Amino acid sequence: MTFILSPEIIDDIIFSMENQDQILSFDALEGICVDMDEIDDDYETTIDDQRYYDLPEWTSAQGFRVMEQFTTRVHNPLLREALLNALGQRKGVFRRYKEVLKTAPTVEREWYRFKDQQMKAAVYEWYNELRMIWGLEKIGFEDETDPQLLQEDFIFQIEKHDALNRELLQNFIRKTEETSDDGDKIISFDDFDEKAALEAGRLLGYASFFNADVCAAAGRQYGTAQNHAAYITAYNENGLCGLCSVIAFPFNESFCIPFLRVLPEYRGLGLGKALLQRACVYSAPLAATLLFADFCTPSHFITELERNGFKRMGLLYVKDLSIEE
């Protein structure tokens, strides 16, 4: 007996696959999963074609492999290490794994979405095997999982340099920067004269950051539209999660990204990629080129720069904003 694999049937089968307490099968006549031990004679009517089908196999070993696969997709080193430690436990692996995920709600939601897609793939494989028996063509399965950002979890904003709370900014830098001799220092005209500040803008040393004063200096010197300098920010219910600074570089018609950071607990979700792309969109109408000059960027992010059209020029990565993509 053939049947159509509807979304409701898929959900019922996936729910039943994880049921380790009952022996369940799929009833093609009723379109539901049933406990074979509870079927009475009246319910099990005689039909010519096969009515009951064994469900797709889903063992604890398969569930463990899915956890291993997901863990390799987690780029956040601290979270990935904690998940690997959970997988290395002899007892309570599944419980420990879920407990670690609860510490990172955004990743936890991505995990359940990933697991659901893996189980859907198993259901489609099982269904296509039945279709071959029925003499029908296979149907395709589109994997909807994305190892990147669940963007609905964040609110992105464009904020002017002088509008962002300085204390909030300093706390964010403190949480995202590694310890260094420079600490959380923000380059400002409180410490430098105009010439020194422009030189700092050229060099962009470790942990350098630009405020409105530095932007104004470059504007006076080169006539660049410094009033467009801004922060591209990402917030969720816990506050500021990611930030990308966009300033006018001390060359005419050029913008620069001296600082792009994401809080450790939100790394590996594609948030940095989303901030970079929004910075490109923001800068395109205002400048001819965009320079990426955050020298503390992790090496894996260089690939993301190249994917977004940045080309290496000396110590900087430069994107020609006049080229339409």
Side-chain angles (χ1 to χ4, degrees):
M1 175 179 292
T2 63
F3 59 91
I4 302 297
L5 193 63
S6 67
E8 292 76 20
I9 287 178
I10 293 175
D11 291 341
D12 188 25
I13 292 176
I14 289 177
F15 180 81
S16 300
M17 286 166 64
E18 293 192 287
N19 189 329
Q20 303 296 316
D21 300 324
Q22 296 173 287
I23 301 176
L24 300 170
S25 296
F26 182 73
D27 182 351
L29 181 62
E30 297 292 335
I32 59 174
C33 294
V34 296
D35 188 341
M36 298 301 293
D37 294 336
E38 297 180 359
I39 297 176
D40 55 32
D41 294 336
D42 294 333
Y43 186 70
E44 191 173 6
T45 56
T46 302
I47 53 179
D48 294 332
D49 296 329
Q50 182 175 350
R51 173 176 178 175
Y52 300 103
Y53 295 95
D54 293 334
L55 297 180
E57 183 181 26
W58 191 260
T59 64
S60 58
Q62 289 170 299
F64 185 85
R65 283 195 294 272
V66 172
M67 291 191 297
E68 287 183 317
Q69 292 171 0
F70 180 76
T71 302
T72 63
R73 299 159 67 99
V74 176
H75 297 296
N76 185 315
L78 298 178
L79 181 60
R80 184 174 62 248
E81 182 179 359
L83 292 173
L84 288 172
N85 288 336
L87 292 175
Q89 301 299 316
R90 292 189 176 185
K91 294 183 179 180
V93 172
F94 293 91
R95 175 180 56 81
R96 293 175 185 270
Y97 195 85
K98 291 179 180 179
E99 288 176 351
V100 173
L101 286 172
K102 287 181 179 179
T103 65
T106 303
V107 180
E108 182 184 32
R109 287 190 287 273
E110 183 71 9
W111 151 249
Y112 283 113
R113 197 162 69 109
F114 177 79
K115 187 185 76 168
D116 183 66
Q117 287 297 106
Q118 297 302 304
M119 297 187 75
K120 280 184 180 179
V123 172
Y124 270 83
E125 182 179 359
W126 165 81
Y127 184 63
N128 278 325
E129 290 175 356
L130 294 180
R131 289 180 65 87
M132 291 181 63
I133 296 174
W134 299 334
L136 302 174
E137 293 183 357
K138 293 183 178 181
I139 61 174
F141 168 70
E142 183 176 352
D143 188 349
E144 298 175 354
T145 56
D146 183 352
Q148 299 299 318
L149 174 70
L150 294 177
Q151 293 193 17
E152 62 268 22
D153 293 326
F154 298 93
I155 297 174
F156 294 91
Q157 297 180 1
I158 298 176
E159 304 183 56
K160 294 299 182 181
H161 269 251
D162 55 356
L164 194 63
N165 181 274
R166 186 178 180 85
E167 183 178 355
L168 174 66
L169 178 59
Q170 289 177 322
N171 288 335
F172 181 83
I173 295 173
R174 187 176 298 110
K175 293 177 181 178
T176 56
E177 289 284 7
E178 297 179 356
T179 303
S180 72
D181 294 336
D182 294 330
D184 301 325
K185 187 172 184 180
I186 300 176
I187 292 180
S188 167
F189 268 117
D190 294 338
D191 307 304
F192 300 98
D193 60 15
E194 183 168 311
K195 181 178 179 181
L198 289 171
E199 182 66 14
R202 185 179 67 82
L203 295 177
L204 295 171
Y206 179 80
S208 65
F209 204 82
F210 290 78
N211 67 8
D213 292 329
V214 177
C215 295
R220 289 192 296 270
Q221 182 72 20
Y222 294 98
T224 317
Q226 291 294 348
N227 58 311
H228 294 298
Y231 297 119
I232 313 297
T233 55
Y235 294 87
N236 68 2
E237 65 275 10
N238 297 318
L240 183 62
C241 305
L243 182 146
C244 177
S245 177
V246 180
I247 68 163
F249 199 65
F251 294 100
N252 199 28
E253 298 183 351
S254 294
F255 270 20
C256 177
I257 298 175
F259 186 92
L260 193 158
R261 289 290 186 275
V262 174
L263 289 180
E265 58 266 36
Y266 298 107
R267 291 171 186 167
L269 298 174
L271 186 53
K273 170 185 176 181
L275 290 168
L276 177 67
Q277 291 176 340
R278 282 166 169 77
C280 293
V281 171
Y282 173 77
S283 303
L286 305 171
T289 56
L290 179 61
L291 298 85
F292 187 90
D294 187 341
F295 296 152
C296 303
T297 298
S299 57
H300 67 79
F301 197 70
I302 300 303
T303 302
E304 199 60 57
L305 289 172
E306 294 172 343
R307 287 174 180 169
N308 283 272
F310 286 83
K311 296 181 180 180
R312 184 169 182 176
M313 297 181 64
L315 295 176
L316 305 177
Y317 281 82
V318 181
K319 178 180 176 67
D320 185 350
L321 296 174
S322 64
I323 299 176
E324 295 186 4
E325 298 182 348

